[in-house]
Amino acid sequence: MNRIRVTLMATLLAILAACATPPPQTPAPAAPPRDLLVELGDAEAAGDHDAMLSLAHALLADPATDDALTLDLADLLAREGDTQGALAAYQGVADKEAAAPEPDWARLINLEGRMAEIAAAAGDTSTASVHTGRAVELVTQHLGIDHPRLAPLLAFAKANGLDMPAIAMAGGFATLEDMELALADSIERGRDTGAAMPSGRRLSPRVFGEEPDFDLVKVFYGTDRAPDPGELLMVDGKPVLDARTYYGSERGKLETGTVIVSVPRNRSLGEIPKPSVLRFDVRPDPARHVIVGDMKIHPDMEAFVREMKLELAKSKRREIFVFIHGYNTKFDAGIERTAQLSVDLEVDGATAFYSWPSAGSLFGYKADRSQITEEAVKDLEDFLLILADKTGAERISVVAHSMGNEFLTLALEQMTRDRPGEKLFNEVIFASPDVDADDFIERVSAIDSLADDFTLYASSKDRALQASRRFNGTGRRAGDSAEPVLLPVLNTIDTSAVSDGGLGHSDIFGGAFTDFQAILWLSLEPDQRCLLGRREEGNAVAWVLGSPRTEFCDQKAFSTAMTTMRRVGVEESAFVLSEQAAEAQSLGSPDAPLWQSALRIVQWLGVAGRFMPETTAAPQ
């Protein structure tokens, strides 16, 4: 009995002890790590000056901050009045570039020019003169004294009262008069109206009487960026304008103009080249590097239309290619990309660029999104309708990249309401769209009448779109092919397998470029492009780059076939390719299989015209 009592007492004491002991505490969830980039974007959107400076300096002190972000931060410091901090950041990047085994002198020109602008804005003309002198020296040494890049630098120096004798000496000019002549020569070509230009996109400058290794491309533009030009130099009653600095990140009225850009001929498709000592290319020149030159503004829309008609009149195809940039893009960077695309796509007509007021800043995501307004969408709609209605173009293709698709899809949706049932464009391409997928589906589903074809390029490896969720907190993006957007009106191309290994946000300029050409050049449907494999998704089809449907269709052969069809015409392409294949085979050339594969692609398409005689034709 006593044993039972003892047992009961022990059990009771154990129960009481358990009740008295507090339950184990669940550890509080760890606070998420700070995202200084997102915080800086919030501070900028809120206009919090002190927070912006503090966060900018914290990011500059972070060893993980790369050069691109460093320059964005430096520009923010300059805007917020920390001139010395801005100059120090720029100088650090410039010093690192100059000390690199493969220094990019073209980039150094822009870095020196930007430091001059920052110093001049702060009233430090002495420092501004030094940096302008260095930039002018690099231009005269590596680009030539008659290159269009010289004019904006010298015009900036004169307009801001800098030390012109010192700049002339740094640039290697014997006298101020020699430098003035160089300025006038550079301005003369930048202001070319196009009436005297040869047919096509090339305007050959004078380079000691030799045929140049680069094209001077005229890029037409429309923009609703507000001008932020600073002091301007007037020559013959007209201002000398710098495409790098003229337009800011605030919204203004819609205006148009042209920019002359030099684009090298000897480079890979889609490439905006950098120098390499491995190619004995230690000094950049316009034969190897994309360089933005002088610009002009049209006085009214009638002048824009008139000049574009002149450009189209010199072409055979009378086509217009339109490019709309994405997030984090400054005006001049978008002009560069458009010029490069113009050359690589062999645009036979006019190339147009549309620029909305992106802050051109990695941490300016929210600032860029704030530009998506009804008024901004109307500006883009008006610009595209002018091209469609007034230029007399026979073919218009429109391409938007990244956040630019927000503007384009909204503008097209509005056009459908304003112009129901009208077909205004040939090809419309949505490249890596940073648009909420549900919004994208709703808008694109309603616009099928506006163009012959709509194409979406998407990737599951697009790190930029994955990062966009950090900034806006929304769900999947239309450019993410992990859960692809599939619509009857839309051809969806999954580029994951050919992503460039970087952010994966520019496949259209890289691994997907050959497929992109086939669309713009020949309007080939996906089932006509043997580079694409089929992937069934329920009742719909996603097309996959990197899974060719034939054994003879690789990137190089497909590119050869498409380029031949573009240049000599569809009917003549089979004859030309069979001729090349036969010649290569007779010579034992290693290129013989390439020509044979390209010929088989043309045959596979079912568009082959005449061939070489049977006795000499390449074996099939």
Side-chain angles (χ1 to χ4, degrees):
M1 189 71 174
N2 287 336
R3 186 179 299 134
I4 295 174
R5 287 176 180 171
V6 170
T7 302
L8 290 172
M9 184 63 71
T11 302
L12 180 60
L13 290 172
I15 293 172
L16 291 173
C19 292
T21 303
Q25 296 294 318
T26 302
R34 292 181 67 190
D35 191 329
L36 298 183
L37 202 58
V38 173
E39 288 184 33
L40 182 53
D42 291 340
E44 186 179 46
D48 189 336
H49 170 82
D50 292 339
M52 280 190 280
L53 291 179
S54 174
L55 289 164
H57 281 290
L59 283 164
L60 284 170
D62 184 348
T65 295
D66 61 14
D67 287 352
L69 179 54
T70 295
L71 297 181
D72 281 342
L73 294 167
D75 286 336
L76 181 142
L77 293 179
R79 291 196 304 271
E80 296 301 313
D82 186 355
T83 302
Q84 293 308 310
L87 289 174
Y90 261 94
Q91 191 64 60
V93 174
D95 290 344
K96 184 164 63 173
E97 187 65 61
E102 303 178 22
D104 182 349
W105 301 104
R107 184 185 186 212
L108 277 173
I109 291 169
N110 289 340
L111 291 172
E112 293 288 355
R114 179 61 183 138
M115 284 188 278
E117 293 158 6
I118 291 171
D124 186 352
T125 57
S126 176
T127 300
S129 297
V130 170
H131 289 295
T132 303
R134 291 176 186 170
V136 170
E137 178 185 13
L138 291 170
V139 172
T140 57
Q141 286 184 354
H142 305 306
L143 307 184
I145 62 173
D146 61 349
H147 192 275
R149 183 67 181 93
L150 187 65
L153 286 169
L154 295 181
F156 164 80
K158 291 189 71 172
N160 287 273
L162 304 189
D163 188 343
M164 300 305 290
I167 293 170
M169 183 178 297
F173 294 101
T175 65
L176 275 174
E177 288 73 19
D178 289 342
M179 190 167 71
E180 290 286 349
L181 288 173
L183 171 61
D185 199 34
S186 182
I187 291 171
E188 180 183 344
R189 280 193 322 285
R191 287 181 174 173
D192 188 280
T193 64
M197 289 173 65
S199 177
R201 65 185 183 278
R202 292 177 178 144
L203 168 62
S204 298
R206 298 184 303 280
V207 184
F208 308 114
E210 299 177 2
E211 173 68 13
D213 293 326
F214 59 94
D215 297 326
L216 283 182
V217 180
K218 175 181 288 188
V219 177
F220 291 81
Y221 71 83
T223 186
D224 59 356
R225 290 178 183 261
D228 185 20
E231 297 293 329
L232 294 177
L233 175 69
M234 304 296 291
V235 174
D236 297 331
K238 298 179 181 178
V240 180
L241 307 175
D242 187 347
R244 293 177 54 255
T245 60
Y246 184 78
Y247 289 109
S249 58
E250 299 297 323
R251 186 173 176 276
K253 64 180 182 64
L254 177 64
E255 64 182 25
T256 62
T258 60
V259 181
I260 301 297
V261 186
S262 69
V263 180
R265 296 174 185 170
N266 56 334
R267 63 188 174 80
S268 301
L269 290 178
E271 179 188 8
I272 296 181
K274 302 297 181 186
S276 169
V277 293
L278 299 178
R279 297 195 305 267
F280 304 97
D281 182 18
V282 295
R283 301 195 318 180
D285 60 53
R288 292 178 175 85
H289 303 280
V290 177
I291 303 164
V292 174
D294 201 11
M295 64 176 280
K296 71 174 183 180
I297 300 172
H298 293 121
D300 49 44
M301 202 59 73
E302 287 72 23
F304 168 76
V305 171
R306 190 163 53 247
E307 188 166 345
M308 184 163 277
K309 283 183 173 179
L310 282 173
E311 197 76 6
L312 292 172
K314 295 177 296 180
S315 66
K316 294 180 180 179
R317 292 182 173 88
R318 297 182 61 83
E319 62 189 7
I320 295 177
F321 169 76
V322 187
F323 179 65
I324 304 164
H325 68 80
Y327 148 68
N328 185 22
T329 303
K330 294 183 179 179
F331 179 80
D332 61 309
I335 287 284
E336 274 189 0
R337 174 59 74 187
T338 307
Q340 169 257 306
L341 288 170
S342 176
V343 173
D344 290 349
L345 292 169
E346 301 182 8
V347 173
D348 184 18
T351 299
F353 169 58
Y354 189 82
S355 184
W356 49 276
S358 168
S361 167
L362 192 60
F363 46 84
Y365 189 90
K366 291 187 177 179
D368 279 8
R369 281 225 161 260
S370 70
Q371 297 292 342
I372 306 169
T373 64
E374 185 177 336
E375 293 79 10
V377 170
K378 183 66 166 61
D379 284 340
L380 175 57
E381 180 190 8
D382 290 345
F383 181 75
L384 292 175
L385 288 177
I386 286 168
L387 297 180
D389 293 341
K390 297 186 178 182
T391 62
E394 295 180 5
R395 182 178 178 84
I396 301 177
S397 298
V398 184
V399 179
H401 181 235
S402 187
M403 197 184 290
N405 285 282
E406 286 278 15
F407 295 89
L408 179 58
T409 54
L410 288 166
L412 294 176
E413 187 179 42
Q414 185 59 46
M415 279 185 213
T416 302
R417 290 192 286 265
D418 295 341
R419 309 278 285 270
E422 291 191 40
K423 184 158 290 185
L424 301 172
F425 310 108
N426 298 93
E427 302 294 338
V428 173
I429 295 178
F430 309 110
S432 307
D434 186 6
V435 182
D436 179 85
D438 292 335
D439 291 341
F440 184 87
I441 290 169
E442 181 180 353
R443 296 169 195 168
V444 174
S445 297
I447 63 175
D448 61 311
S449 64
L450 284 176
D452 292 327
D453 276 304
F454 297 90
T455 301
L456 164 65
Y457 282 102
S459 171
S460 61
K461 296 181 179 178
D462 193 327
R463 291 171 56 209
L465 292 185
Q466 295 164 10
S468 77
R469 298 186 182 186
R470 293 165 50 196
F471 292 96
N472 56 41
T474 61
R476 67 182 178 121
R477 316 308 286 166
D480 187 348
S481 65
E483 189 179 345
V485 171
L486 302 173
L487 297 169
V489 69
L490 191 66
N491 295 322
T492 298
I493 315 298
D494 185 348
T495 64
S496 304
V498 298
S499 284
D500 59 12
L503 288 177
H505 194 50
S506 300
D507 291 344
I508 193 174
F509 310 131
F513 193 78
T514 298
D515 187 69
F516 177 39
Q517 285 176 315
I519 296 173
L520 292 190
W521 285 353
L522 301 167
S523 291
L524 295 183
E525 295 295 332
D527 60 359
Q528 297 175 296
R529 308 199 302 269
C530 56
L531 280 179
L532 301 176
R534 289 174 60 97
R535 186 176 72 218
E536 303 294 333
E537 298 275 353
N539 295 325
V541 175
W543 298 92
V544 182
L545 260 175
S547 300
R549 297 201 303 288
T550 71
E551 75 282 359
F552 51 80
C553 189
D554 60 25
Q555 282 271 9
K556 196 168 184 180
F558 188 76
S559 178
T560 301
M562 296 303 104
T563 302
T564 303
M565 294 170 72
R566 167 74 170 184
R567 292 178 178 175
V568 305
V570 172
E571 289 301 317
E572 289 296 310
S573 60
F575 179 83
V576 170
L577 289 169
S578 61
E579 185 179 46
Q580 291 291 333
E583 181 181 357
Q585 187 174 35
S586 67
L587 296 174
S589 169
D591 288 334
L594 171 65
W595 293 111
Q596 291 167 1
S597 293
L599 176 58
R600 292 183 69 184
I601 290 170
V602 172
Q603 292 176 279
W604 179 85
L605 279 170
V607 295
R610 64 192 180 97
F611 290 80
M612 290 184 63
E614 190 67 30
T615 55
T616 57
Q620 306 301 313

